[in-house]
Amino acid sequence: MNFLDLDSNSLYVYDKIKEIYGDGFLSDLYLNKSNIKSVISYLKSLGIKCINELLIYKIDVFFKDVDFLECEIKKFDVSEFVNLVNDDYFMIDNYLF
Amino acid sequence: MTGMKKQLIDKFRLMLAANSKYYDMFDDLNYLLYSIKDAPFNLIEIEKKYLPYVENNLSDGAKEFVKDTKSVLDVFEKSKYYDLPKEVVNNIVQNVYFSEVMEKLDRFLLHCSQREKIEEVITYLENLKENEYLEIEKIKMILINDLKFDCRVKSDIFLLMPKYNIFVSKNIENMYDKEMLEIDIISNEELIDIFKEYGYNFLLVSEKMREYAKIYGDLDNIRYMFEFFKDNNVKFSENDEKYLYILFKSDEVCINNLKSICDDYGFELNSLLNRTPSVFWDSIKRDKVNRKPGPPRPGGDEVSLSGSNGDFKKNVELIKSLGYPVKESYDKCSSVFVCSYRKLKGNVDDLIRYGIDPNNFSKIIKLTGLTSSNILNTIDRFIELGELDYLFDNTSRLALDCNHVIFHRLYKVKKHNMENPTNPIDYKNISKTGSISYKSFITSYHDTTLKINNDNKNLVNNFVEPCVLFDEDKEKVIRALDEGKNDDKDPLEMSDIKFLEENYKVNDLVYSVCGFTFSRLKVLRLYSSLENVDIDLDDLLFYCLTYNSMLTKEDVEVIKNEINLKRKGDLLL
């Protein structure tokens, strides 16, 4: 099971997501896989490295529309955003939630 | 398959036979352990009456303990402590002289107590039906706890177990195929017609979803859903799985649930359809097929596609009752709305138990923090590491597992900083706005600075489980913690807690013993839950204090000695 085409530790990531959010949410994840993959690609293109951690603990980021995310993130200093989120993924709350 | 089951049973029987000489020692060693624990003062009596008995009756393995015990007695007899009061001597003997012997005995007894469990496994295997999977996790622990048996046979068992389950899976799949043939499936023509009636082409639907519709769909429900879509101007493409699953899985009951939520809280249908399609159906399907766990559904979905209709409704009501703006919260974190209601409610109750005012939830706690798998243990861990500010700076962090690698790294860094005050590691960022974050070597999944990662986190710092409990007690403790929230009784009125309060309380959150920080809230909640449980623990207080704390063997000894000496001292006063 790697419907999000994760690079590494995919089993761990899906297990943790299931543990935290439950089976019902896994259905939503699966049925939104196309959007989620687009967000993963976008965040990676910015230089975000902690994709797995964001998927586990800040999964709602990946349910947002990519264009919306781009607009939101561009309101800030992008390199500062990337550095802070790479240092501590919970800091994404300060920008997007 | 019968052959595989027989092979497994034979291997466990072999294990039983080969270990019998150890298992036979269980009663004697247990008696020796309790003699030391219960009445060490009368050591001469133990030496004279008991040791010759065990020496004559036990195997070479057990004699090792007798030898250890004797050497301790010899040292003790010559020591100056012999003239001290009985309680003090008991304490010294138990904790200073015999600690190593008792530890060895505990370990050996765990091994010796395996007989009953292996016999249970054999009976379990014998009674296993053809379509029942092996519960590998349960059996695995027995193999891991076994200290003496031949590793090759153990590894054979480890290899056989998953193979056995693969056979079971194939067997179920065959049964499942037969079952499918007996199901009254919808015909292709019926589906083509109903799709056509509402302006869609069933033949454009993927083969996987066409099969799914035939087996799991219900014509009345599908018609109801088409009407629902039509009434709400929802149009979709024939290859959009999200809508197709809703079409084939939802029904009138689920839709009525959602309609009332949308009316009451202003949810938009499109938003629900797009972000959380699982709210359109429930895990318990009211259809013609009695779904069974086992093989993948036709079409080979990678996930089971459970629904969350029931949880969604209850979660919305709970979130509303806590004062969060419901619609706005859904827009920000829809994941919380579809997670298990039981978990969400449990976490809310736990936080109230920890003193969070229900009226302040929406001001203090981020909704995503409420998805934590073990919220109180996570808070305790932050308290014990002295990092509560970091947690409350952003309560999404409540979702961190209390065994997360972050905590192991923090422990290492803080230990380094205590030992090297002139050369500390800077592990925090404080932004201009005052918000706190950790540097990436604390939070990242892969860390090359401290070299503590998920695979080695439990080994690097050498933490131990401070209290070794017998299995029976462990179960009682877990059950009591799950069920027993003894809220009627004020733990502060209990004598053990009064002792901690008087000697070690730093503030409402913390006890400090010899420089080690313990969550006061943890001790109070555990003690009040366990106080009335019939647990044969030498020291319930010590168990509650050190439960789930990050402690090495040496730390445990220091704390144990301090607590015991202080308690004896208090008694003498």
Side-chain angles (χ1 to χ4, degrees):
Chain A
M1 180 176 85
N2 186 8
F3 54 83
L4 298 178
D5 302 330
L6 302 178
D7 296 341
S8 59
N9 300 303
S10 60
L11 194 61
Y12 174 79
V13 176
Y14 295 116
D15 277 353
K16 290 304 286 182
I17 292 175
K18 193 174 166 186
E19 183 192 315
I20 295 174
Y21 305 99
D23 287 337
F25 182 72
L26 217 53
S27 308
D28 296 330
L29 199 70
Y30 177 77
L31 294 173
N32 282 293
K33 56 183 184 277
S34 164
N35 190 71
I36 294 171
K37 282 195 226 177
S38 308
V39 176
I40 291 175
S41 298
Y42 168 64
L43 292 178
K44 274 185 180 172
S45 75
L46 292 180
I48 298 285
K49 291 174 188 161
C50 48
I51 298 294
N52 285 357
E53 290 87 346
L54 288 171
L55 279 165
I56 296 171
Y57 293 106
K58 301 306 312 171
I59 186 73
D60 292 290
V61 172
F62 299 88
F63 282 71
K64 295 186 186 300
D65 181 75
V66 175
D67 295 336
F68 169 81
L69 267 184
E70 205 172 335
C71 278
E72 288 297 302
I73 290 171
K74 279 186 177 166
K75 288 178 190 167
F76 306 99
D77 178 336
V78 177
S79 68
E80 189 185 280
F81 165 81
V82 171
N83 285 339
L84 270 175
V85 173
N86 276 339
D87 264 0
D88 187 341
Y89 37 91
F90 285 105
M91 292 306 281
I92 206 160
D93 282 358
N94 291 11
Y95 295 87
L96 301 175
F97 292 97
Chain B
M1 188 154 71
T2 319
M4 282 190 97
K5 192 203 272 189
K6 189 174 174 305
Q7 274 184 57
L8 272 170
I9 292 172
D10 286 348
K11 297 222 181 276
F12 276 103
R13 284 204 175 120
L14 190 65
M15 205 167 155
L16 204 57
N19 275 330
S20 67
K21 62 178 178 179
Y22 297 109
Y23 300 152
D24 289 342
M25 295 190 295
F26 180 78
D27 289 342
D28 290 329
L29 291 180
N30 207 18
Y31 183 75
L32 178 60
L33 179 71
Y34 278 95
S35 300
I36 297 168
K37 280 184 177 176
D38 292 345
F41 186 71
N42 203 350
L43 294 167
I44 303 301
E45 192 186 328
I46 295 176
E47 184 166 28
K48 281 184 185 161
K49 289 185 183 169
Y50 187 65
L51 292 186
Y53 166 75
V54 284
E55 271 191 310
N56 292 333
N57 289 289
L58 288 185
S59 67
D60 292 342
K63 280 178 185 163
E64 189 191 330
F65 295 110
V66 176
K67 200 176 145 198
D68 286 346
T69 310
K70 271 186 134 181
S71 62
V72 171
L73 290 177
D74 288 344
V75 175
F76 182 75
E77 254 196 308
K78 289 170 197 158
S79 79
K80 58 185 177 179
Y81 298 115
Y82 204 64
D83 294 330
L84 289 169
K86 188 177 171 181
E87 291 81 8
V88 178
V89 174
N90 275 352
N91 178 35
I92 295 168
V93 171
Q94 280 184 19
N95 293 297
V96 181
Y97 289 103
F98 276 108
S99 61
E100 205 178 319
V101 177
M102 288 198 286
E103 201 180 299
K104 268 195 205 169
L105 270 169
D106 271 331
R107 258 202 326 267
F108 205 75
L109 277 167
L110 181 69
H111 172 67
C112 292
S113 66
Q114 294 254 100
R115 168 183 279 167
E116 208 176 299
K117 285 179 198 153
I118 295 177
E119 283 170 347
E120 273 173 25
V121 169
I122 291 172
T123 314
Y124 164 70
L125 287 169
E126 283 171 343
N127 293 328
L128 209 60
K129 290 178 186 147
E130 276 194 4
N131 57 349
E132 273 180 340
Y133 289 105
L134 257 182
E135 286 185 59
I136 295 177
E137 282 302 312
K138 212 157 89 179
I139 297 174
K140 210 163 77 179
M141 283 319 293
I142 292 168
L143 297 171
I144 290 167
N145 284 340
D146 183 278
L147 307 172
K148 303 283 177 189
F149 194 52
D150 187 346
C151 286
R152 281 166 303 179
V153 180
K154 279 200 230 172
S155 68
D156 283 351
I157 297 175
F158 271 119
L159 287 172
L160 265 172
M161 290 193 294
K163 276 187 188 169
Y164 181 88
N165 277 350
I166 291 169
F167 272 104
V168 175
S169 164
K170 284 184 178 161
N171 195 38
I172 292 177
E173 210 166 336
N174 288 338
M175 287 165 62
Y176 183 77
D177 288 344
K178 282 179 204 158
E179 186 187 301
M180 287 296 114
L181 292 174
E182 291 159 13
I183 290 170
D184 179 23
I185 59 172
I186 314 176
S187 72
N188 218 25
E189 287 69 32
E190 285 171 305
L191 285 160
I192 289 171
D193 287 347
I194 197 167
F195 265 65
K196 196 173 174 186
E197 197 181 325
Y198 289 93
Y200 294 93
N201 183 352
F202 185 64
L203 296 174
L204 294 178
V205 172
S206 70
E207 193 184 338
K208 172 182 125 183
M209 291 310 292
R210 287 207 301 268
E211 286 303 305
Y212 191 95
K214 284 180 204 170
I215 295 166
Y216 289 97
D218 176 285
L219 271 184
D220 290 340
N221 279 341
I222 293 173
R223 181 175 298 283
Y224 179 85
M225 288 309 298
F226 268 130
E227 286 294 328
F228 170 74
F229 285 149
K230 196 171 118 189
D231 292 346
N232 290 283
N233 295 318
V234 175
K235 294 199 182 338
F236 58 91
S237 142
E238 285 92 339
N239 55 24
D240 193 331
E241 280 193 0
K242 202 183 283 183
Y243 289 85
L244 290 171
Y245 273 115
I246 294 171
L247 188 68
F248 302 141
K249 284 166 94 68
S250 190
D251 59 24
E252 193 175 349
V253 178
C254 290
I255 294 298
N256 284 338
N257 257 340
L258 289 180
K259 275 181 182 167
S260 71
I261 298 170
C262 287
D263 290 346
D264 294 347
Y265 300 98
F267 283 102
E268 288 149 16
L269 184 66
N270 269 335
S271 181
L272 296 180
L273 283 165
N274 279 319
R275 297 183 67 168
T276 52
S278 70
V279 302
F280 282 83
W281 66 88
D282 228 334
S283 291
I284 305 158
K285 177 81 174 147
R286 292 167 283 273
D287 67 5
K288 61 191 174 188
V289 181
N290 178 23
R291 292 178 177 208
K292 290 177 183 175
R297 305 282 172 240
D301 283 335
E302 292 178 275
V303 293
S304 63
L305 292 170
S306 303
S308 59
N309 185 274
D311 282 322
F312 180 65
K313 188 170 192 283
K314 287 189 264 186
N315 287 342
V316 167
E317 283 158 5
L318 176 66
I319 288 164
K320 167 80 179 162
S321 75
L322 294 169
Y324 293 94
V326 175
K327 194 178 159 297
E328 195 183 308
S329 300
Y330 176 86
D331 291 342
K332 284 183 179 171
C333 47
S334 53
S335 59
V336 183
F337 287 74
V338 294
C339 79
S340 151
Y341 166 75
R342 204 175 153 204
K343 179 191 211 175
L344 212 59
K345 178 77 170 71
N347 282 341
V348 168
D349 291 345
D350 278 344
L351 285 173
I352 292 171
R353 200 174 150 70
Y354 258 29
I356 306 284
D357 181 346
N359 296 318
N360 284 337
F361 261 73
S362 58
K363 293 172 205 143
I364 302 172
I365 307 291
K366 278 189 184 254
L367 262 184
T368 47
L370 294 180
T371 56
S372 173
S373 296
N374 203 332
I375 206 160
L376 296 188
N377 282 344
T378 302
I379 298 176
D380 291 333
R381 185 127 291 176
F382 275 113
I383 291 175
E384 295 190 352
L385 282 164
E387 294 289 325
L388 207 57
D389 287 351
Y390 173 78
L391 173 63
F392 278 97
D393 186 60
N394 179 347
T395 50
S396 288
R397 290 157 179 159
L398 282 166
L400 281 169
D401 184 305
C402 70
N403 194 31
H404 195 282
V405 72
I406 281 181
F407 298 117
H408 293 262
R409 291 174 187 155
L410 271 177
Y411 173 89
K412 186 89 175 172
V413 166
K414 299 198 106 180
K415 196 173 176 198
H416 168 91
N417 289 355
M418 266 176 68
E419 290 165 358
N420 303 277
T422 52
N423 184 26
I425 298 172
D426 179 15
Y427 62 97
K428 267 184 187 172
N429 298 312
I430 311 284
S431 77
K432 287 170 198 162
T433 56
S435 63
I436 310 166
S437 65
Y438 288 148
K439 296 199 168 160
S440 61
F441 62 84
I442 298 286
T443 55
S444 69
Y445 191 85
H446 301 284
D447 155 60
T448 50
T449 311
L450 297 167
K451 295 186 177 62
I452 302 178
N453 290 305
N454 259 325
D455 46 354
N456 68 356
K457 66 184 178 189
N458 290 316
L459 301 171
V460 173
N461 292 315
N462 290 321
F463 296 132
V464 291
E465 187 183 354
C467 281
V468 180
L469 301 170
F470 290 102
D471 286 349
E472 193 190 340
D473 284 334
K474 251 185 188 166
E475 280 169 23
K476 279 185 198 167
V477 169
I478 292 164
R479 212 169 39 245
L481 291 177
D482 278 349
E483 299 165 2
K485 289 181 178 172
N486 195 3
D487 288 330
D488 302 338
K489 214 165 179 179
D490 181 2
L492 295 170
E493 294 300 315
M494 298 167 183
S495 62
D496 277 344
I497 298 296
K498 279 183 180 169
F499 163 76
L500 284 183
E501 293 281 304
E502 284 161 17
N503 293 292
Y504 305 111
K505 181 180 168 184
V506 176
N507 56 40
D508 286 350
L509 297 175
V510 166
Y511 291 129
S512 176
V513 182
C514 298
F516 296 96
T517 303
F518 297 100
S519 164
R520 179 172 173 267
L521 297 171
K522 171 187 82 177
V523 180
L524 297 183
R525 84 178 148 98
L526 291 178
Y527 204 87
S528 62
S529 293
L530 296 175
E531 199 255 351
N532 289 333
V533 181
D534 173 30
I535 301 167
D536 185 17
L537 292 176
D538 279 352
D539 199 335
L540 181 59
L541 181 67
F542 184 69
Y543 175 78
C544 295
L545 189 70
T546 57
Y547 173 82
N548 210 29
S549 293
M550 301 171 103
L551 297 168
T552 64
K553 192 179 163 191
E554 292 73 32
D555 300 338
V556 171
E557 284 308 309
V558 171
I559 297 158
K560 207 169 185 178
N561 285 337
E562 156 65 22
I563 296 272
N564 282 332
L565 284 172
K566 180 79 85 182
R567 289 177 90 183
K568 301 301 173 194
D570 278 8
L571 280 176
L572 288 175
L573 291 172

